[in-house]
Amino acid sequence: MSLVIVEVNGAMGTITLNRAKVNALNGELIDEIASALATMKARNLRVIVLRAKRGAKVFSAGHEVTELPTNGRDPITYNDPLRQIVRAIQLHPCPVIAMVEGSVWGGACELVMSCDLIVAAQDTTLAITPAKLGVPYNLSGILNLMKVVNMPIIKEMLFTARPVSAQRLMECGVINHVVPREELESFTQQLAMQIVETSPLVLRILKEELRVLASAHPITPEAYERIQSLRREVYDSEDYQEGIRAFLEKRKPEFHGR
Ligand code: YXS
């Protein structure tokens, strides 16, 4: 498990992202996060902390761009690793706390927001970037963002793809606590211990009730199919190819709406 560091301290588990340079979420890293979660579930741990290494400049750069398909396939399908790990966190039977320092990008914002609580260092920023890359984000991903971020703010984040400060996101009710970096670990540990003292059976059912109710959004098959056809027009577009090409060529994309 080189891409994550797994620690267990009593009833608390810690998963530290440890992939070189910027913790870009490739399939291998996500498999190791999922494996760590499964181990912690088997050990009946009562709270999990998901973090980057101490002092990280980048918490995670989001989806591994080189793993986004450019051959006409949907870039974010049900079994995409990002989709898998978001579901694994949402279905994990105990609370998962995202302890965030550094900058968070793209799908890593959804990863952080799929956690149950977010504690962030003061200099943390989150940027949701599909519009910058030309990626047609998927319905369940958008719903996950909407569960956490109110509509005016999620529209600004999605439409501008710009970083937003942790402080502002705490004021908007997205982030639970913002603390100085040097207090991040102790504060998160204290919060985790408060959770450990409560009934694990009740927490398990509360978390699942909240997940089920928050996901209860009726959508007709025709509406779903219409969205999927609109998304296909995007990932089949020249703009989609341009977004990924520009990223790989380290230049600004030039989108022409086709
Ligand atoms: O040039 P080398 O080989 O050292 O590689 C560079 C970057 O190309 C690479 N890298 C990535 N590789 C794959 N996937 C990524 N997401 C990714 N991000 C970065 O890591 C090496 C170091 O990056 P560099 O030189 O830019 O470091 P930096 O410290 O100057 O800047 C760090 C970042 C994170 C601010 C910068 O790398 C950046 O803006 N990265 C892209 C962030 C982003 O837009 N992520 C969204 C990925 S797509 C996604 O998550 C969803 C599909 S969606 O777009 O829909 O939200």
Side-chain angles (χ1 to χ4, degrees):
M1 276 207 180
S2 60
L3 299 180
V4 296
I5 300 165
V6 178
E7 297 160 89
V8 176
N9 175 11
M12 172 179 147
T14 302
I15 301 171
T16 303
L17 304 179
N18 186 39
R19 185 177 179 230
K21 294 201 181 176
V22 291
N23 286 329
L25 300 170
N26 68 346
E28 219 183 333
L29 168 56
I30 284 179
D31 285 349
E32 291 199 17
I33 301 171
S35 177
L37 284 172
T39 302
M40 293 179 175
K41 179 178 175 182
R43 294 182 61 169
N44 291 317
L45 298 190
R46 295 193 180 179
V47 65
I48 313 288
V49 174
L50 178 69
R51 63 171 296 172
K53 289 177 88 167
R54 186 175 302 122
K57 175 173 166 256
V58 179
F59 177 86
S60 171
H63 203 294
E64 168 66 47
V65 170
T66 61
E67 291 187 357
L68 290 171
T70 52
N71 58 355
R73 280 182 47 235
D74 185 336
I76 309 185
T77 54
Y78 183 79
N79 282 326
D80 178 275
L82 174 65
R83 304 266 34 94
Q84 290 184 20
I85 199 62
V86 162
R87 287 197 300 272
I89 288 172
Q90 291 172 329
L91 288 166
H92 194 79
C94 77
V96 179
I97 304 173
M99 188 182 87
V100 187
E101 54 188 306
S103 57
V104 189
W105 301 84
C109 292
E110 188 192 347
L111 174 68
V112 164
M113 291 179 186
S114 68
C115 294
D116 298 287
L117 300 171
I118 307 172
V119 182
Q122 279 167 337
D123 60 356
T124 296
T125 60
L126 279 78
I128 307 178
T129 53
K132 191 172 82 175
L133 265 162
V135 175
Y137 220 69
N138 68 306
L139 272 174
S140 61
I142 294 294
L143 178 57
N144 285 334
L145 298 174
M146 284 172 61
K147 291 174 190 171
V148 180
V149 191
N150 66 22
M151 193 63 88
I153 304 300
I154 197 57
K155 283 189 174 180
E156 179 181 333
M157 293 186 80
L158 284 167
F159 297 167
T160 67
R162 301 288 298 159
V164 176
S165 73
Q167 184 61 36
R168 180 164 178 224
L169 290 171
M170 181 176 71
E171 289 160 6
C172 299
V174 175
I175 289 178
N176 297 79
H177 300 280
V178 172
V179 299
R181 248 192 213 249
E182 59 273 12
E183 296 173 19
L184 187 60
E185 288 181 357
S186 57
F187 185 95
T188 305
Q189 169 87 17
Q190 190 182 21
L191 182 63
M193 288 306 108
Q194 290 168 7
I195 291 173
V196 165
E197 286 167 8
T198 61
S199 158
L201 294 179
V202 172
L203 260 64
R204 180 177 188 147
I205 189 63
L206 289 174
K207 177 171 174 175
E208 183 58 5
E209 285 170 329
L210 289 164
R211 185 190 71 81
V212 167
L213 290 170
S215 300
H217 285 254
I219 178 170
T220 63
E222 185 186 338
Y224 172 76
E225 287 161 3
R226 176 175 166 272
I227 292 291
Q228 287 300 88
S229 69
L230 293 174
R231 291 186 62 241
R232 176 185 288 275
E233 286 172 25
V234 178
Y235 62 76
D236 276 353
S237 70
E238 289 171 24
D239 276 2
Y240 175 73
Q241 301 290 338
E242 163 62 8
I244 292 177
R245 197 169 40 241
F247 174 83
L248 298 176
E249 294 170 1
K250 299 185 187 295
R251 61 175 172 79
K252 263 183 178 292
E254 285 182 29
F255 295 126
H256 300 294
R258 53 176 186 265

